[in-house]
Amino acid sequence: MLVSTGQGSEMLSLLKSRLGNSEHGYVLVVVIGIGMVLMILATVLATSAISGTMKARQDQAWNSALSAAYAGIDEYQSRLSNDSFYMQYGNPSANFSTGSSLILPTGTQENPAFGIGTTGTWATVAGSGGKAKFRYEVNTTEYLETGIIRVRATGLVNGVTRSLVADLRQTGFIDFLYFTDYEIQDPEISGESSSCVKYEWAGRSTSCTKIQFGKNDVVNGPLHSNDTLYICEATFNGAVTTSNSSPSGGRLYDIPSGCGTASFSSGIAYSPTVGMPSTNAKMKRETRSDLTANGVPSPGCLYTGPTSVVLNSNGTMTVKSPWTKKTQIAGDPATSGTTPAMCGSIADLKSSSGATITVPDKNMVYIQNVPTVSSDPNYWGTYESGRPSCAYRGNSLGYPISNESASTSAYGCRNGDLFIRGTTHGKVTFAAENYVYVTGDITYSNSSTDVLGLVGNNAVWVWNPMDRYGDKLLSGSDREIDAAIISVAHTFQVQNYEYTGKRGTLTVKGAIAQKFRGPVGTSSGGVIVNGYVKDYNYDPRFKYTAPPKFLNPDTTTYGVTTWMDTPAAMNPDGSYR
């Protein structure tokens, strides 16, 4: 409560009248003392009211500055979603960006949020009338290894700054243990009409064969299908989503005749379609030596034609690639190339023992078809000296093996096929322009630190050769694959799954994405009679990290995996603290 000076005078007069007109000095002292107390009380109360108003304004600016920092993170995320290579941009002079390979965008791409220092620019929060601003600094030192981009945003409002750090990772196929675009077998393999390439919920013909999850199938991780799921009593130990928005009998999935309901630990829900890219060709860009200042600071290795890779537990790999001439290229289309030692010498790659080199850690390897354009550095002339030979219906690596009965589409002599097995030591991604054949177990040397990506533009095959009688040519049973696996245009499938008898258990520890469902065995009465029993388990690390330079959906967003509220990095004048 405030006391006015008028009220103070009235109180003094009242006090004087009650004390009388005594000339004693102590009375005057008492009166003066009371007056001073009243004046001090009035001043304190007034100051307290003003201070409270100022504190409220400061608190508002404090909170608004944090909101401006959040707005900066959101704005950077939107730029990443619109341009998949935007992570190459940033201010290389920013304190937070030390060690990152960044360039400042220019022209129409110029971004005021990359400003630093007292003379640097700030970006304005939309709708704030220029009162709220932000800057952000980008750190990409972990991007090649984990797919993580770290951003520090600083918001500025009314002379108050606050900073926020966020880790961003693309949402994509490795968010799921099992991702499928269409719940049918690949028409190229089944022979069915291409008209079957349509979602069931969008009106696919009932004559098209659907592949079901069987009674013995257990999926230990998140699953998404753009199509309608067909489930016979399978068990799903993870979130299940489908782009089917038309429930059948109150369910979001179909049940084959004679089957009961499925078991869902977390239920099943609708989720929009996730767009599968039409090709993995953009991954070849990562082997270009002319883009070190434009998004490819550390080019990987390019091999040409059929290529075999054995991953060795000591961190090396043995590579045979008879058609390869240049292991890094320049230009699009390629017009020149180089042969860096990190990718092996050409003489060794062509030899029967192959080139044993260090796995390109935190990097990738791309296997391309033999080029048909004469200007390409990996082109071969018809009568060129040293040209690899082609076996009848086979390739120069020795496939098909002795007594193997293989389809005419397998083992093309000039195809960019990858044949791979072994023990992964490090972080690496392999991509093939044609097929990937997993010719043996692929396991991690250290399941905590090693990461592998396998990307086939066409099918990813679990190699299972047979003779002309349908008998197996591989001894032993079971197969394990520790990796994130994608078949971009076709399927992940066991070769000759309908023959060769029981092959044991197919264990996958990682993630699987495919355009079409790929069968791994056949059963009778719920019991496997040919091929493998599934044992698929999600690698939980893929929630926060990814294989190096891994393939992502055509349309994707960057999600925040970690938020950190940190001390303000900059002063209101833009200088660093």
Side-chain angles (χ1 to χ4, degrees), residues 408-426:
T408 56
S409 62
Y411 314 135
C413 185
R414 297 167 59 90
N415 289 347
D417 291 337
L418 168 65
F419 300 80
I420 186 168
R421 61 183 173 86
T423 303
T424 306
H425 184 104

Side-chain angles (χ1 to χ4, degrees), residues 57-58 60-73 112-113 115 117-118 120-126 128-136 152-164 568-575 577:
R57 290 176 179 172
Q58 187 177 24
Q60 184 178 15
W62 177 258
N63 293 327
S64 296
L66 183 61
S67 296
Y70 275 110
I73 298 292
T118 57
T121 55
W122 293 77
T124 300
V125 176
S128 70
K131 295 180 180 179
K133 301 178 180 181
F134 62 82
R135 286 174 171 177
Y136 44 66
R152 181 171 69 182
T154 299
L156 170 62
V157 177
N158 291 337
V160 176
T161 56
R162 294 197 57 186
S163 293
L164 187 71
M570 298 179 184
N571 294 306
D573 66 357
S575 60
R577 289 190 174 177

Side-chain angles (χ1 to χ4, degrees), residues 264-278:
F264 299 99
S265 66
S266 302
I268 179 171
Y270 168 80
S271 185
T273 57
V274 179
M276 180 74 81
S278 59

Side-chain angles (χ1 to χ4, degrees), residues 472-483:
K472 65 182 180 181
L473 292 177
L474 292 182
S475 60
S477 61
D478 300 334
R479 178 68 68 238
E480 179 173 339
I481 308 171
D482 298 349

Side-chain angles (χ1 to χ4, degrees), residues 31-235:
V31 171
I32 293 174
I34 293 174
M36 291 180 65
V37 169
L38 292 173
M39 292 180 66
I40 291 172
L41 177 61
T43 302
V44 169
L45 291 173
T47 301
S48 176
I50 294 171
S51 176
T53 300
M54 293 177 64
K55 186 177 186 304
R57 290 176 179 172
Q58 187 177 24
D59 287 346
Q60 184 178 15
W62 177 258
N63 293 327
S64 296
L66 183 61
S67 296
Y70 275 110
I73 298 292
D74 289 341
E75 196 267 357
Y76 181 72
Q77 285 180 265
S78 69
R79 289 179 181 267
L80 284 172
S81 296
N82 292 328
D83 180 356
S84 59
F85 294 110
Y86 199 79
M87 80 289 296
Q88 67 182 304
Y89 295 126
N91 194 325
S93 299
N95 286 358
F96 192 72
S97 301
T98 301
S100 303
S101 297
L102 298 170
I103 58 175
L104 278 169
T106 58
T108 58
Q109 295 255 34
E110 190 171 350
N111 185 353
F114 287 137
I116 59 173
T118 57
T119 59
T121 55
W122 293 77
T124 300
V125 176
S128 70
K131 295 180 180 179
K133 301 178 180 181
F134 62 82
R135 286 174 171 177
Y136 44 66
E137 306 159 89
V138 180
N139 188 295
T140 57
T141 54
E142 296 183 13
Y143 178 71
L144 296 181
E145 178 179 350
T146 66
I148 294 292
I149 301 171
R150 180 163 288 185
V151 182
R152 181 171 69 182
T154 299
L156 170 62
V157 177
N158 291 337
V160 176
T161 56
R162 294 197 57 186
S163 293
L164 187 71
V165 173
D167 287 349
L168 309 179
R169 185 181 70 79
Q170 273 187 304
T171 56
F173 305 118
I174 61 172
D175 292 328
F176 312 104
L177 164 60
Y178 205 74
F179 168 87
T180 309
D181 198 8
Y182 297 96
E183 294 293 320
I184 60 172
Q185 191 174 9
D186 186 350
E188 186 175 281
I189 297 171
S190 67
E192 291 190 314
S193 170
S194 59
S195 64
C196 289
V197 184
K198 188 176 186 178
Y199 299 129
E200 184 183 61
W201 51 261
R204 183 174 63 223
S205 171
T206 55
S207 64
C208 299
T209 303
K210 296 181 288 187
I211 298 180
Q212 70 181 45
F213 284 93
K215 295 181 179 180
N216 295 320
D217 287 344
V218 178
V219 181
N220 293 311
L223 178 151
H224 175 79
S225 176
N226 288 336
D227 206 351
T228 303
L229 291 162
Y230 197 50
I231 307 172
C232 180
E233 303 176 28
T235 300

